[in-house]
Amino acid sequence: MTILDGKALSNKIKEEVKSEVQDLQMKKGITPGLAVVLVGADPASAAYVNMKSKACKQAGIYSIVHEMPETISQDKILEILAMMNKNPNIDGILVQLPLPKHVDTTAILEAIAPEKDVDGFHAYNTGRMTLGLESFVPATPYGVMQLLKEYDINPEGKNVCVVGASNIVGKPMSTLLLNANATVTTCHIYTKNLKEHTKNADIICVGVGKVNLITEDMVKEGAIVVDIGINRLENGKLVGDVDFENVSKKCSYISPVPGGVGPMTIAMLLVNTIKAAKLREERERKLND
Ligand code: GUN
């Protein structure tokens, strides 16, 4: 069994990003910038935002965090997004999810300029990604694809079971795998017999937030298991959705939690941010030509 070491790969990618940022500064005179919007005081969201802005700093990316109270109106968030859309120092805008109930998440995501949508959650980028066109790709599934590639795992022709169908993880994960010519089954809370599907899979990607959802009897011998879940146990320990101890004995490859997909998500956000900066520079150059 081989561990899919997301920590190691993310460090490599972050180093590459850092040197690309230095290149962009030296050769083009631009510093990529990321704006993060955090609404409310959810500790998990605050922790993610903190990790994202720390990673930006380490890579030399300019970052600002707009913290807003839970009670802020939707119009006020839209106002701030409109300002950031116009701000030439900001290449990427990310609104940390989930948003409070009184806010229409779709309306907020659609208010981000598609060329600054480094989370890839805008319908424009989702649509383009689905068509297999150039787009911003959501960081978590993008990170999973990079992790598989690093270990020479080609999904083409494989039976892949994606467990979870959220807009930010499961759906884009299934789309990317389908675009990579895998035979994809997407399972979710309405799926009747989950085991029937996981047992048939060469690759299982699971991200629903349920401790020990995937047990050893649900996994084929030699399968590849990618754990996208993040759960904090009462004792403070971080675990995924897979019963790692027992499932790992049956796998050919498995990603751990922590140290698997989590660090890859942050790394791919940085990759998307410098991509946005490069595209901006290209657009400006064309205008000046
Ligand atoms: N909440 C959980 N994951 C994510 C993510 O990747 N991006 C944003 N914006 N919010 C999230």
Side-chain angles (χ1 to χ4, degrees):
M1 181 273 295
T2 304
I3 293 281
L4 297 168
D5 189 345
K7 181 96 192 133
L9 178 58
S10 73
N11 284 336
K12 200 164 100 181
I13 294 171
K14 285 193 279 188
E15 279 309 311
E16 285 164 11
V17 166
K18 193 173 173 175
S19 78
E20 277 204 62
V21 170
Q22 284 165 356
D23 249 29
L24 280 170
Q25 281 168 332
M26 277 189 325
K27 296 187 183 146
K28 316 269 185 193
I30 60 170
T31 299
L34 176 71
V36 180
V37 174
L38 175 62
V39 183
D42 173 52
S45 287
Y48 290 134
V49 166
N50 202 12
M51 285 191 271
K52 289 171 185 177
S53 60
K54 205 172 120 196
C56 279
K57 280 197 190 83
Q58 282 168 350
I61 294 173
Y62 165 70
S63 84
I64 45 167
V65 179
H66 282 273
E67 285 184 53
M68 299 172 199
E70 180 88 21
T71 52
I72 195 160
S73 71
Q74 179 167 318
D75 283 348
K76 188 74 198 166
I77 305 175
L78 290 173
E79 221 176 87
I80 287 160
L81 288 175
M83 263 165 44
M84 292 193 288
N85 281 341
K86 279 194 237 144
N87 185 337
N89 297 318
I90 298 299
D91 295 295
I93 302 170
L94 179 159
V95 178
Q96 187 65 29
L97 301 179
L99 288 167
K101 287 213 167 60
H102 67 276
V103 178
D104 176 353
T105 300
T106 305
I108 296 297
L109 296 178
E110 302 284 277
I112 297 171
E115 68 275 16
K116 297 194 177 190
D117 173 36
V118 288
D119 251 338
F121 294 164
H122 192 292
Y124 176 85
N125 283 307
T126 307
R128 286 189 61 91
M129 180 187 68
T130 304
L131 294 171
L133 302 172
E134 185 58 39
S135 68
F136 288 109
V137 173
T140 300
Y142 191 8
V144 171
M145 296 306 283
Q146 294 303 116
L147 196 53
L148 294 175
K149 198 170 164 198
E150 177 73 6
Y151 288 83
D152 291 325
I153 298 164
N154 183 356
E156 185 165 287
K158 298 225 166 55
N159 289 334
V160 183
C161 182
V162 175
V163 185
S166 68
N167 287 341
I168 65 177
V169 177
K171 281 189 208 165
M173 187 75 257
S174 292
T175 300
L176 291 176
L177 288 159
L178 179 60
N179 287 351
N181 303 325
T183 301
V184 184
T185 304
T186 309
C187 298
H188 41 72
I189 41 171
Y190 297 102
T191 299
K192 292 224 172 64
N193 188 347
L194 180 60
K195 180 175 167 178
E196 197 178 282
H197 299 286
T198 57
K199 193 86 192 165
N200 184 43
D202 305 308
I203 305 176
I204 300 170
C205 298
V206 55
V208 298
K210 239 180 165 179
V211 180
N212 288 340
L213 177 68
I214 304 297
T215 46
E216 116 193 68
D217 56 308
M218 298 168 78
V219 178
K220 183 168 81 172
E221 196 73 46
I224 296 160
V225 176
V226 181
D227 193 346
I228 315 175
I230 302 179
N231 309 287
R232 198 169 284 281
L233 300 180
E234 272 177 23
N235 63 10
K237 197 176 163 213
L238 215 55
V239 296
D241 292 349
V242 177
D243 173 7
F244 184 89
E245 193 188 329
N246 296 306
V247 170
S248 59
K249 291 176 193 151
K250 278 182 97 173
C251 293
S252 54
Y253 295 87
I254 187 166
S255 73
V257 177
V261 176
M264 290 302 298
T265 296
I266 307 265
M268 301 328 287
L269 171 65
L270 303 183
V271 167
N272 281 346
T273 304
I274 56 168
K275 172 177 168 159
K278 283 190 215 161
L279 289 173
R280 164 175 60 107
E281 193 273 335
E282 269 172 38
R283 280 194 305 274
E284 284 171 359
R285 191 152 35 90
K286 277 194 189 134
L287 275 176
N288 293 332
D289 274 352

